[in-house]
Amino acid sequence: MTILFGSDTMKDHPDEIICIFPSNTLLLNAEDVLEEAKLYYELIPVPKQVYSNCGLALSIQEVFFNEAMLLLKGAGLEPGVIYKRWGITLNVVKG
C-alpha cells in the first residue's frame, strides 16, 4: 500500500522508516530502549493519513533500522505497522 502526502506537509526524508505502535505505552517503552542504546531516532506525529490509536510515531533513519528492530524485538516491542518514506509517499513495510 502506498500513501501520498502533499509535498508542503512532509519533509523529504528518503531514508526514513516510520514505526507506528499500538499504544503510547509501547511507544514510550520503545523510546527508552533506543535511547539507552544511544540509537538516533525522532518522535514525530503520526501522519494524519495513517490511522493509529497512538498519536506519535518513531522515525528512524534507515541506516539504524536493522539495529533498532533487533533491540525492539529483544525487548518485546515490535511496531504494529512500519512505513518507509520516499519523498511524499509512504510504503508499508510491515503491517
Side-chain angles (χ1 to χ4, degrees):
M1 168 173 25
T2 299
I3 299 171
L4 295 174
F5 292 91
S7 59
D8 60 335
T9 61
M10 304 303 282
K11 295 183 210 169
D12 185 17
H13 293 285
D15 63 346
E16 181 180 29
I17 306 292
I18 298 173
C19 300
I20 311 287
F21 289 84
S23 73
N24 288 325
T25 301
L26 291 175
L27 173 91
L28 295 174
N29 290 339
E31 181 185 25
D32 289 342
V33 168
L34 298 181
E35 195 167 297
E36 185 176 311
K38 300 191 183 335
L39 206 62
Y40 179 78
Y41 69 92
E42 288 181 288
L43 281 180
I44 62 169
V46 170
K48 56 185 154 186
Q49 291 85 343
V50 176
Y51 175 77
S52 172
N53 289 330
C54 182
L56 295 172
L58 281 177
S59 170
I60 303 168
Q61 290 182 356
E62 188 172 17
V63 69
F64 301 121
F65 179 68
N66 288 335
E67 183 179 355
M69 287 300 100
L70 286 173
L71 291 167
L72 294 175
K73 284 179 184 180
L77 297 167
E78 282 192 73
V81 183
I82 300 172
Y83 295 93
K84 180 169 182 152
R85 185 182 311 201
W86 285 99
I88 62 168
T89 64
L90 282 183
N91 293 309
V92 175
V93 175
K94 175 197 172 231

